[in-house]
Amino acid sequence: FDVETMDHIQPMDTSRFEGIEDDGVTTILCLGNSSFADNRGESGLAQTIGKKMDAVVYDGSFAGSFLTMYNETYQETYKPDGLSLYPIVKAICSGDFSLVERVAGTMTETEEATANMLKNLDYNTVDMLVIMYDLSDYTGNRPLYSATDKNDLITWTGSLNASLELIEETYPHIRTVILSMPACGATIDGFYVDGDKFDLGNGTIPDYLNYQMNVVLANGVSYIDNYYGVITVENRDEYLTDGYHLNEKGIEAIADRFYYFFGDSME
């Protein structure tokens, strides 16, 4: 069946650039987990996007992190929460990186260096924020939404909504782009689970993407649909390893689609 993609490119209101001097350099900050963090080199997703866009790219991703938080507030007993999306965005917008630095300092030198980069980056020079998370929230059975709190950080929609509201309020000149995860699955307890079909408790991956799209539209940011528009159920074996990690061809395909939407608009 033909499927209509959910791509949404939000035009930027020129009034949002008031007080911001154009330095002539396209600067992109990437946040997320394995899609970026698996390969931080020249052939990785962040740097491949940078080369196609002729941009300076900063990779602020953390391997093993989630878009959601496991606990409503950070607990020392579960350190990954300190590197999930909202604490990172909160640090960016407040300038207080104490939690991010403390948690990253318990991990590898890569995480420490990433936290230090984020702390010292001048966000007035950042033109685009690109956010992409893999299927970890799905396999981690993180809730989709709260019926009573649109910014509930333990939910997929709440964490994203709270993060987008904060970044848009603090740095309105930054164009935010959400990249959806591709069509993927994972091996759980020795069995391959196809995210397109299996509900692990809070929905299939398409459910997560549909709710993600609702938050995107509510916040007026852009969205690139990699699930139906790039790496689909039909072709995913060409672009993924072990069901969900991007191979070189997958990285190129996602970067090409990014350039298709934004290459000319950033010149």
Side-chain angles (χ1 to χ4, degrees), residues 34-47 59 248 251:
S34 68
S35 299
F36 294 121
D38 281 348
N39 185 345
R40 298 179 183 273
E42 290 299 310
S43 61
L45 179 59
Q47 296 304 324
D59 187 347
E248 291 184 8
I251 287 170

Side-chain angles (χ1 to χ4, degrees), residues 44-55:
L45 179 59
Q47 296 304 324
T48 301
I49 288 174
K51 284 183 286 186
K52 292 182 184 296
M53 294 288 294
D54 191 22

Side-chain angles (χ1 to χ4, degrees), residues 62-94:
F62 291 94
S65 66
F66 295 79
L67 187 151
T68 59
M69 292 184 65
Y70 183 72
N71 298 297
E72 292 183 359
T73 58
Y74 176 74
Q75 307 291 325
E76 291 292 341
T77 53
Y78 190 78
K79 294 190 184 309
D81 271 355
L83 300 178
S84 63
L85 180 61
Y86 184 76
I88 298 296
V89 169
K90 184 177 180 180
I92 288 171
C93 294
S94 68

Side-chain angles (χ1 to χ4, degrees), residues 29-256:
L29 171 63
C30 298
L31 298 180
N33 52 14
S34 68
S35 299
F36 294 121
D38 281 348
N39 185 345
R40 298 179 183 273
E42 290 299 310
S43 61
L45 179 59
Q47 296 304 324
T48 301
I49 288 174
K51 284 183 286 186
K52 292 182 184 296
M53 294 288 294
D54 191 22
V56 174
V57 174
Y58 294 93
D59 187 347
S61 63
F62 291 94
S65 66
F66 295 79
L67 187 151
T68 59
M69 292 184 65
Y70 183 72
N71 298 297
E72 292 183 359
T73 58
Y74 176 74
Q75 307 291 325
E76 291 292 341
T77 53
Y78 190 78
K79 294 190 184 309
D81 271 355
L83 300 178
S84 63
L85 180 61
Y86 184 76
I88 298 296
V89 169
K90 184 177 180 180
I92 288 171
C93 294
S94 68
D96 181 2
F97 281 84
S98 55
L99 174 60
V100 174
E101 286 184 300
R102 188 168 77 252
V103 174
T106 67
M107 299 181 178
T108 69
E109 291 183 359
T110 298
E111 276 74 34
E112 286 187 271
T114 300
N116 187 60
M117 177 276 292
L118 289 169
K119 179 180 180 180
N120 291 290
L121 183 59
D122 180 358
Y123 292 94
N124 287 319
T125 68
V126 174
D127 299 294
M128 301 185 78
L129 172 63
V130 181
I131 300 172
M132 183 176 183
Y133 282 85
D134 65 10
L135 79 174
S136 296
D137 292 271
Y138 160 74
T139 57
N141 202 18
R142 302 293 175 89
L144 277 170
Y145 69 96
S146 166
T148 58
D149 183 2
K150 70 172 185 175
N151 288 345
D152 188 341
L153 299 180
I154 70 169
T155 70
W156 175 254
T157 56
S159 180
L160 182 59
N161 193 71
S163 300
L164 293 180
E165 286 183 346
L166 189 55
I167 200 75
E168 293 285 302
E169 176 185 351
T170 310
Y171 295 107
H173 72 280
I174 296 178
R175 172 174 239 165
T176 301
V177 183
I178 308 298
L179 305 185
S180 84
M181 70 185 87
C184 54
T187 300
I188 303 175
D189 296 330
F191 296 94
Y192 179 74
V193 175
D194 185 345
D196 190 66
K197 300 177 181 178
F198 290 98
D199 180 344
L200 297 177
N202 283 292
T204 63
I205 289 180
D207 291 322
Y208 280 78
L209 300 186
N210 285 326
Y211 276 90
Q212 186 178 54
M213 185 61 179
N214 290 338
V215 177
V216 164
L217 294 175
N219 284 276
V221 299
S222 295
Y223 187 79
I224 296 181
D225 178 5
N226 294 311
Y227 197 94
Y228 296 111
V230 184
I231 301 175
T232 67
V233 171
E234 289 75 19
N235 67 20
R236 60 188 170 188
D237 289 344
E238 300 177 43
Y239 299 103
L240 303 174
T241 63
D242 65 11
Y244 72 97
H245 288 102
L246 297 171
N247 60 24
E248 291 184 8
K249 189 174 180 179
I251 287 170
E252 283 289 328
I254 289 178
D256 281 341

